[in-house]
Amino acid sequence: MPVLLSAAVSIAIGFIIIDLLWPQKSTFKDWFGVKVCLAVGTGSGIVSCIFFVCLVLSGSVKKNFIYSDFILLIICAVIYMLRKKKAFKEFVKTGSGIGIKKEFNFLYIAAIAVLLISIASFILRILHHPHGSWDAWNIYSLGARFIYRGGADWTAAFANPYHWTLPDYPLLLQGNIARSWNYSDHETILAPALLAFQFTFASIFLMITSVSIFSSKKQGIIAGMVLLGMPVYLFHASCLVADVPLGFFILALIVMYCAMDKIQGQNFGLVLLCGITAGLAAWTKNEGFILVISVPFARFVTITRHYGLHYFLKETGVFIAGLSPILIIILYFKLNVSSPEIFFIKPEMDSPLTPIFNQDIKTLFRSLTDISKYMLVAKVFAVKIVEIGKWFLLGFPIYLLLQGRIHKKQLKAGFYTSILILLIMISGYFTAFLAYPLDNLGWLMETTTLRLFIQVLPGILFVFFFFTAAPEEAGDRKIGYHGQGPGDPEAKL
Amino acid sequence: MILETRKEKNSNHSHNNKKMIKLNIILIVICLAVLAATTQHFFKEFKYFRLIRGSDEITRLEEKFSRIKYMLPPNGVIGYYSDQPHDSFTLSVARYSLSPRIIELDSNQTIIIGNFSQQSILKKYAEANSLYIVKKIDKNIVLFRKGID
């Protein structure tokens, strides 16, 4: 029960912050489903940052850390009441209005069946592998145990004087697990399992709710079902590793950039939220830094031409404002608590060293110009894509061919930003493998590539279902404009 | 004129019907495919569940290591030795179970956890490093201490 309370507090904090930063014009119930899904991840990220700050300030885990959560929740709630008093009163008066239409057909029934089967599979996996996969217990739960059990010596594992673990992994998951244990006053495997459950099904519902808004309800349900229909995704989610949470933040960021096109007017609150989300992605896993770097680049390409450099600089400033508090926490962790993982490779390298895997410049140049490496990385990428997509890889082009694509007018900056972010991320992974200096590249790729694709999978599916015309709207025209879309002022949310 | 309007209506109606049929076929195919994939995954997990029945290897090893927890200092470095070249699993579970103690592949520590596949190696190792057995966790895993018993 206390573990559930810790999750509820984090979601409440997340929701209030998101709703406060959501463009003023929208009401409480606008984008409600999207906001709740975003709150699950953002809330978890924010409370883990607060937990880390408390940990650094007090030196060890203390029971009174829980008060910091409640103080933040009360502060957020008071600000929320003051700022959204009118909207909230209206909401209470008129009822939520977040009614679910009683519209049952076989698609809805199938979706519910798929969801229930997936939840059952997830629970079964947790029951027979309660500690998750190797990385889950060897990195995330181990880190959480050091934090929770370690007292004043909690940094010992991360300072890593004996080089036996991966100490510089950011602490979003570890911090959250230790925080939940602090609520329940004992270690329970329910904490990492619940966290994984939250991120997995928040991703699924974020996919459903967002695609429902940008395209159509049926399309949203299909998108969610397809994500669940890829067992590799659900398997990795129940392995309790950080790839699905990172995938959540990538999807959340993409959804918010697309939402900017849909919501008219200036959306700097959303940009601030994007900054926070990108920061939380980097606080989840080191790969999140590629996301942080990719956003300004993608926005520069997509918005400068239409809105000018001035607007881009202003937006980037706001993005950095959202990003920087979390970046400061990450930098503090990396510089003062952990020792870099790259340390493992160091003794095998000659000097002078580059910051990339601590290898000398000649070796790096050799790696980047080695055609056989390109072939190997491309081959493993292709194999893993087939492994994830399976027959869906055939289904996607057929679906696009039958449905047609949405009108060009609907493809605005947010959509192109999403594509660029995903391309930069995949290119980043590709380049990292090319630059990897040791001989065991084949083994490294075999063990990591699939998980890297799991990170970008929800984002890729979102972009696909955004781009493809919805079933309700697809007419006999193969390619054409079907219905209202993003940026359309008359579009009903 | 009326006939033409009727024809137009009929053509629109059949066009809508065709569209609906096409849409429903697409949706049925997607539903069946996703249902098949998720059901297959569910049965795979169920098979594992029936095989393992709630006692996975980590939980079993953790339970074993919990028997020596109270004999160890609350933190600091504990040595580890294994006669098997690739024994990262037991070592990692030892680290996981006994954290925040740091378990290190080092025979020079005062307290050492040993994992032996052969009893003869256990005796030789103990003699060579002046160790005595504090507790035998199971037939393979032993807790040693430096010195004479």
Side-chain angles (χ1 to χ4, degrees), chain A residues 103-111 114 216-226 391-392 395 398-399 402-403 465 468-474, chain B residues 18-36:
Chain A
E103 193 187 317
F104 288 105
N105 61 24
F106 69 89
L107 182 67
Y108 291 77
I109 294 163
V114 165
S216 79
K217 210 182 258 181
K218 277 198 176 105
Q219 184 91 318
I221 290 169
I222 292 169
M225 278 173 74
V226 169
W391 74 267
F392 281 111
I398 294 170
Y399 187 71
L402 288 169
Q403 298 296 109
F465 285 104
T468 312
E472 298 96 325
E473 295 158 353
Chain B
K18 270 183 191 169
K19 198 179 142 185
M20 280 305 293
I21 291 166
K22 187 188 109 180
L23 169 67
N24 282 328
I25 289 170
I26 293 170
L27 294 182
I28 287 167
V29 169
I30 291 170
C31 289
L32 288 177
V34 173
L35 270 168

Side-chain angles (χ1 to χ4, degrees), chain A residues 128 131 145 149 391 471 476, chain B residues 15 23 33 45 62 77 96 99:
Chain A
H128 66 70
H131 300 276
R145 283 185 175 188
R149 297 175 178 178
W391 74 267
D476 44 5
Chain B
H15 172 72
L23 169 67
E45 295 298 349
E62 269 226 285
V77 183
Y96 179 58
S99 57

Side-chain angles (χ1 to χ4, degrees), chain A residues 367-385 429-450 452-453:
Chain A
S367 290
L368 294 175
T369 50
D370 184 353
I371 299 296
S372 67
K373 259 189 160 181
Y374 279 88
M375 298 296 281
L376 174 71
V377 178
K379 189 185 154 195
V380 179
F381 268 38
V383 168
K384 295 298 167 186
I385 288 170
Y429 298 156
F430 196 97
T431 315
F433 284 126
L434 287 181
Y436 184 72
L438 302 186
D439 294 333
N440 59 353
L441 178 64
W443 166 82
L444 180 78
M445 290 202 71
E446 194 51 49
T447 51
T448 55
T449 312
L450 196 72
L452 294 177
F453 279 114

Side-chain angles (χ1 to χ4, degrees), chain A residues 8-304:
Chain A
V9 169
S10 74
I11 294 169
I13 291 171
F15 184 82
I16 293 172
I17 291 172
I18 284 166
D19 204 40
L20 280 172
L21 292 174
W22 209 261
Q24 285 294 306
K25 260 186 4 184
S26 63
T27 63
F28 182 80
K29 61 187 178 184
D30 287 341
W31 299 76
F32 183 79
V34 172
K35 284 189 272 189
V36 170
C37 295
L38 290 175
V40 174
T42 312
S44 300
I46 290 169
V47 293
S48 87
C49 287
I50 291 162
F51 183 81
F52 179 74
V53 171
C54 291
L55 194 59
V56 169
L57 292 178
S58 76
S60 64
V61 174
K62 304 229 163 61
K63 191 75 193 162
N64 58 18
F65 282 10
I66 294 168
Y67 298 126
S68 65
D69 282 0
F70 284 101
I71 290 166
L72 179 70
L73 181 63
I74 291 165
I75 292 169
C76 286
V78 169
I79 297 170
Y80 188 79
M81 288 298 199
L82 292 173
R83 283 193 60 187
K84 300 229 169 181
K85 204 175 171 182
K86 207 177 151 192
F88 193 75
K89 267 185 184 171
E90 233 169 66
F91 171 76
V92 174
K93 222 181 194 178
T94 56
S96 73
I98 310 154
I100 299 163
K101 258 192 193 173
K102 280 179 186 166
E103 193 187 317
F104 288 105
N105 61 24
F106 69 89
L107 182 67
Y108 291 77
I109 294 163
I112 291 166
V114 165
L115 185 69
L116 292 177
I117 294 168
S118 302
I119 291 173
S121 305
F122 187 96
I123 293 170
L124 278 177
R125 176 92 203 159
I126 299 292
L127 287 176
H128 66 70
H129 276 89
H131 300 276
S133 66
W134 175 276
D135 277 8
W137 58 271
N138 222 359
I139 298 169
Y140 305 109
S141 296
L142 179 66
R145 283 185 175 188
F146 264 97
I147 293 170
Y148 186 68
R149 297 175 178 178
D153 287 335
W154 69 273
T155 52
F158 305 101
N160 195 31
Y162 300 97
H163 321 156
W164 53 259
T165 184
L166 296 170
D168 89 325
Y169 272 43
L171 295 184
L172 188 137
L173 292 191
Q174 296 93 314
N176 249 306
I177 297 166
R179 175 184 163 271
S180 293
W181 289 343
N182 201 28
Y183 267 73
S184 61
D185 232 356
H186 69 280
E187 288 172 29
T188 162
I189 48 167
L190 188 66
L194 183 69
L195 195 63
F197 186 88
Q198 277 174 247
F199 274 105
T200 308
F201 290 94
S203 301
I204 304 287
F205 281 103
L206 182 58
M207 178 78 88
I208 294 171
T209 50
S210 57
V211 175
S212 295
I213 289 174
F214 295 121
S215 183
S216 79
K217 210 182 258 181
K218 277 198 176 105
Q219 184 91 318
I221 290 169
I222 292 169
M225 278 173 74
V226 169
L227 185 56
L228 280 175
M230 294 182 174
V232 182
Y233 180 78
L234 200 65
F235 171 79
H236 278 88
S238 51
C239 281
L240 316 180
V241 285
D243 303 289
V244 169
L246 180 58
F248 169 85
F249 288 118
I250 296 170
L251 175 66
L253 193 82
I254 285 173
V255 167
M256 283 191 278
Y257 274 115
C258 289
M260 280 178 212
D261 293 337
K262 185 115 182 163
I263 302 166
Q264 302 294 307
Q266 293 220 320
N267 295 312
F268 286 120
L270 265 177
V271 179
L272 199 73
L273 265 179
C274 287
I276 295 171
T277 307
L280 293 176
W283 185 229
T284 309
K285 252 191 136 184
N286 288 334
E287 290 94 310
F289 280 104
I290 306 178
L291 184 71
V292 171
I293 296 162
S294 71
V295 172
F297 182 78
R299 289 307 274 175
F300 176 78
V301 173
T302 52
I303 64 168
T304 310

Side-chain angles (χ1 to χ4, degrees), chain A residues 252-416:
Chain A
L253 193 82
I254 285 173
V255 167
M256 283 191 278
Y257 274 115
C258 289
M260 280 178 212
D261 293 337
K262 185 115 182 163
I263 302 166
Q264 302 294 307
Q266 293 220 320
N267 295 312
F268 286 120
L270 265 177
V271 179
L272 199 73
L273 265 179
C274 287
I276 295 171
T277 307
L280 293 176
W283 185 229
T284 309
K285 252 191 136 184
N286 288 334
E287 290 94 310
F289 280 104
I290 306 178
L291 184 71
V292 171
I293 296 162
S294 71
V295 172
F297 182 78
R299 289 307 274 175
F300 176 78
V301 173
T302 52
I303 64 168
T304 310
R305 216 181 70 184
H306 293 291
Y307 301 99
L309 190 67
H310 179 72
Y311 183 85
F312 165 73
L313 291 174
K314 206 173 160 185
E315 196 192 276
T316 309
V318 180
F319 177 81
I320 291 169
L323 172 73
S324 35
I326 299 156
L327 211 56
I328 290 166
I329 290 172
I330 299 170
L331 287 177
Y332 181 86
F333 170 71
K334 296 257 179 194
L335 299 174
N336 287 308
V337 180
S338 78
S339 68
E341 159 195 351
I342 271 145
F343 194 67
F344 288 107
I345 299 165
K346 209 172 180 177
E348 298 176 36
M349 296 295 133
D350 304 324
S351 55
L353 304 170
T354 67
I356 305 155
F357 295 119
N358 279 332
Q359 57 189 318
D360 62 72
I361 293 157
K362 269 185 191 171
T363 316
L364 179 65
F365 183 76
R366 246 198 330 267
S367 290
L368 294 175
T369 50
D370 184 353
I371 299 296
S372 67
K373 259 189 160 181
Y374 279 88
M375 298 296 281
L376 174 71
V377 178
K379 189 185 154 195
V380 179
F381 268 38
V383 168
K384 295 298 167 186
I385 288 170
V386 172
E387 205 174 308
I388 293 176
K390 288 187 178 157
W391 74 267
F392 281 111
L393 292 177
L394 281 175
F396 289 133
I398 294 170
Y399 187 71
L400 179 63
L401 216 67
L402 288 169
Q403 298 296 109
R405 66 159 170 81
I406 55 166
H407 196 272
K408 233 180 172 180
K409 271 183 188 170
Q410 291 171 269
L411 303 174
K412 292 189 173 183
F415 175 77
Y416 293 115

